[in-house]
Amino acid sequence: MPLLTQNKRIERVTSTAELFSKHPHLKERAQQFVSRSPEAVDTKQLLYVQQRECAATTPADNSVSILGSDDATTCHIVVLRHTGSGATCLAHCDGSSTWTEVPLIVSAVTSRSNPAKEGRLELHLVGGFDDDRSTSHSLSLSILAAFQKQKEEIQLETCCITGESSLYETLTERFCPSSGVNVKTGQVFPASFTCRGPAEELRSARTFSGAEMVEVYDSSRELVKIDPCRWTPNNDMAFWLSQDDETILQYLSTSPHAEPPHFVHHIKSTIQFLLDHPTADGLFPGGQPQLYRRAEDGRWKRA
């Protein structure tokens, strides 16, 4: 089935500029989106989604009201929601395996939707900017093409991506495309987060080591689930801990001029975690996943 917007088919395009030219309402909506100030998200309602992760749930969830992610400089945040069931998935895509990730996102929503419920699938895309290597632009086109290949009919509602996702005209300013989605209401909005857990460093280490996208939430049990993963010991990484910020930005970022202020600290803490845990075996006793449940104080606690 085709990818649609305002019930009109979106044909394959060769650039995001062509997309916005053919569908100017998408550009207007993108400009409206970035003009809004980010909303601070209450940690007690949030499930934060890291790079190369996705999470899905429904309005019946008593532990999660908001799915959110940020730091989408060359990455894209993808939100797919069924208006009838309210089933919602948020993913943070970096282009590592778009053609397998998009079906995973669609399946996460359709599997949680009652076929008898009337409604439609609505898509929201946020992230990317016009970087020198066109990394974002290529990802934008790949995501659009992958959704066009799905058998389900999907309506593109928000397209705040490469060319329209930045509040800034130059790369001298740092920006941080972000998005949250209220699972109860379906509202998609710019968001800010003070917590990126649970198990932030472990999840970051998994991605840093090259793992594929995974679904990190079991909505039926309302548990964050981190499955066993593997990485190879590499003491050479210690080299980066002594490097200055500019060096790390230059060599370990796809967008060195656009990263948020906490990027270098995040990279160094992830590397230190990998050095402290040369293998992941001890983090998953008996080969079992790490599980986290929402505690009475609103924090995620090890189950």
Side-chain angles (χ1 to χ4, degrees):
M1 297 294 287
L3 182 63
L4 308 172
T5 185
Q6 293 187 330
N7 294 314
K8 297 179 181 178
R9 180 171 184 149
I10 297 177
E11 302 294 342
R12 290 289 295 268
V13 293
T14 58
S15 69
T16 55
E18 181 184 352
L19 174 70
F20 292 123
S21 176
K22 289 182 175 180
H23 306 281
H25 69 280
L26 291 176
K27 181 173 183 176
E28 293 172 6
R29 290 179 186 175
Q31 292 172 339
Q32 292 170 2
F33 187 91
V34 297
S35 69
R36 296 162 57 188
S37 298
E39 298 180 27
V41 175
D42 184 350
T43 301
K44 297 177 182 180
Q45 297 180 312
L46 171 69
L47 173 55
Y48 184 84
V49 177
Q50 293 201 26
Q51 184 175 338
R52 222 174 285 177
E53 291 181 349
C54 69
T57 191
T58 70
D61 196 318
N62 293 311
S63 299
V64 174
S65 297
I66 306 291
L67 299 171
S69 192
D70 60 3
D71 296 0
T73 50
T74 54
C75 298
H76 287 38
I77 299 167
V78 178
V79 176
L80 186 67
R81 184 175 188 270
H82 188 270
T83 59
S85 66
T88 304
C89 179
L90 184 146
H92 189 131
C93 302
D94 63 4
S96 57
S97 186
T98 303
W99 290 94
T100 58
E101 291 168 358
V102 167
L104 175 65
I105 295 165
V106 174
S107 176
V109 175
T110 56
S111 65
R112 290 170 172 83
S113 299
N114 185 338
K117 282 271 190 180
E118 292 187 5
R120 66 182 194 175
L121 290 169
E122 293 186 344
L123 176 64
H124 307 267
L125 304 176
V126 176
F129 76 105
D130 292 316
D131 59 292
D132 294 339
R133 289 173 282 185
S134 296
T135 303
S136 296
H137 188 257
S138 297
L139 179 54
S140 294
L141 297 181
S142 294
I143 289 175
L144 289 168
F147 273 105
Q148 285 173 321
K149 290 291 187 180
Q150 303 310 300
K151 65 179 182 179
E152 294 81 4
E153 190 173 277
I154 299 171
Q155 294 277 346
L156 179 59
E157 294 292 310
T158 305
C159 193
C160 189
I161 56 176
T162 314
E164 297 299 332
S165 63
S166 172
L167 285 171
Y168 306 101
E169 295 298 327
T170 72
L171 294 182
T172 58
E173 298 282 353
R174 296 188 175 209
F175 61 92
C176 182
S178 65
S179 183
V181 56
N182 187 315
V183 177
K184 314 297 185 184
T185 66
Q187 179 195 17
V188 178
F189 57 94
S192 63
F193 312 101
T194 58
C195 178
R196 293 173 174 81
E200 178 181 359
E201 291 176 332
L202 169 58
R203 292 159 67 187
S204 298
R206 187 197 69 83
T207 301
F208 194 84
S209 303
E212 296 181 351
M213 178 175 283
V214 292
E215 194 170 347
V216 294
Y217 189 60
D218 182 345
S219 59
S220 64
R221 295 190 293 165
E222 300 186 6
L223 293 172
V224 175
K225 181 182 178 184
I226 306 171
D227 287 317
C229 53
R230 293 183 177 276
W231 52 72
T232 303
N234 183 3
N235 290 326
D236 292 339
M237 288 189 298
F239 163 82
W240 295 106
L241 298 180
S242 62
Q243 301 308 300
D244 59 33
D245 291 7
E246 291 306 315
T247 301
I248 290 177
L249 284 165
Q250 186 65 36
Y251 290 99
L252 298 183
S253 168
T254 57
S255 50
H257 301 292
E259 296 291 359
H262 59 260
F263 175 81
V264 172
H265 172 75
H266 171 74
I267 289 293
K268 286 188 174 182
S269 65
T270 301
I271 290 174
Q272 186 62 60
F273 183 88
L274 287 165
L275 291 171
D276 292 340
H277 302 87
T279 72
D281 296 343
L283 300 171
F284 302 97
Q288 297 299 306
Q290 288 195 14
L291 302 175
Y292 294 83
R293 187 184 303 279
R294 184 79 77 185
E296 289 185 4
D297 63 2
R299 299 181 181 182
W300 292 108
K301 298 291 179 63
R302 188 81 177 262

Coordinates of all heavy atoms in Angstrom, one line a residue, residues 94 109 114 168 255 260:
D94 N 19.2 5.2 13.0 CA 20.4 5.9 12.6 C 20.9 5.5 11.3 O 22.0 5.8 10.8 CB 21.5 5.6 13.7 CG 21.9 4.2 13.8 OD1 21.4 3.3 13.1 OD2 22.7 3.8 14.7
V109 N 3.3 -2.0 16.2 CA 2.0 -1.3 16.4 C 0.8 -2.2 16.0 O -0.2 -2.3 16.7 CB 1.9 0.0 15.5 CG1 0.6 0.6 15.6 CG2 3.0 1.0 16.0
N114 N -6.2 -4.0 17.9 CA -7.4 -4.9 17.6 C -7.8 -4.7 16.2 O -8.2 -3.6 15.8 CB -8.5 -4.6 18.6 CG -9.6 -5.6 18.5 OD1 -9.8 -6.2 17.5 ND2 -10.4 -5.7 19.6
Y168 N 18.0 26.3 13.5 CA 19.1 27.2 13.3 C 19.5 27.2 11.8 O 19.5 26.1 11.1 CB 20.3 26.8 14.1 CG 20.0 26.7 15.6 CD1 19.7 25.5 16.2 CD2 19.9 27.9 16.4 CE1 19.4 25.5 17.6 CE2 19.5 27.9 17.7 CZ 19.3 26.7 18.3 OH 18.9 26.6 19.6
S255 N 28.1 14.3 13.2 CA 27.7 15.7 13.1 C 28.4 16.5 14.2 O 27.8 17.0 15.2 CB 26.2 15.8 13.3 OG 25.8 15.1 14.5
P260 N 24.7 18.0 21.0 CA 24.4 18.7 22.2 C 25.5 18.7 23.2 O 26.5 17.9 23.0 CB 23.2 17.8 22.8 CG 23.4 16.5 22.2 CD 24.0 16.7 20.8

